[in-house]
Amino acid sequence: MTDITIKNGSLDLAASVYGPEGAPDLLFLHGIAGSRDTWEEAVTRLKDRFHVWTLDFRGHGHSDRAGRYLVEDYAADAAAALEVIRRPTIIVSHSLGAVTGAFLAQAPHPFLKAVFMEDPPYF
């Protein structure tokens, strides 16, 4: 595992990277009460076959706090991660992360391959 910092404007976002470079890329996006650590068990099961990225959204985990916390802001955080990955990536997401992934998928991003959403709170 390697911990990295991803820049989104003036914000520093914490992320971790696991698995072999060149393997298919997965970006995990956590829910509103979570952090990148939420995905520890899933990462353990996948890191031998995938290049796994986990992101702390703004205001979560070890990422900087921000003045705004709108869906488009979280989508900008995820897009900043995709720009660092720079390869076709599957987003795996839960709750807030699922809403963020859906938001990102509405406007084509060159590095977004697919979005898997668990429990998106669409109500």
Side-chain angles (χ1 to χ4, degrees):
M1 181 222 358
T2 303
D3 289 329
I4 63 170
T5 300
I6 295 173
K7 295 295 277 181
N8 183 9
S10 63
L11 294 178
D12 285 343
L13 305 173
S16 296
V17 184
Y18 307 78
E21 288 187 39
D25 290 284
L26 302 175
L27 172 61
F28 282 80
L29 303 179
H30 62 79
I32 197 157
S35 71
R36 63 189 159 151
D37 296 338
T38 301
W39 300 106
E40 187 175 330
E41 183 178 346
V43 168
T44 299
R45 294 173 184 259
L46 296 170
K47 68 182 179 183
D48 293 335
R49 295 174 289 148
F50 294 92
H51 197 210
V52 180
W53 303 72
T54 58
L55 175 69
D56 280 338
F57 281 129
R58 63 184 58 218
H60 293 80
H62 294 282
S63 289
D64 286 348
R65 306 306 178 240
R68 286 180 17 150
Y69 296 92
L70 304 174
V71 172
E72 53 262 46
D73 300 318
Y74 294 116
D77 294 346
L82 290 172
E83 290 299 324
V84 169
I85 298 169
R86 300 202 61 75
R87 289 174 21 106
T89 301
I90 298 169
I91 288 179
V92 178
S93 55
H94 172 253
S95 193
L96 169 66
V99 171
T100 301
F103 186 92
L104 255 181
Q106 291 190 32
H109 189 285
F111 301 122
L112 180 58
K113 182 175 182 178
V115 180
F116 174 81
M117 299 177 287
E118 178 192 0
D119 200 21
Y122 290 131
F123 49 84

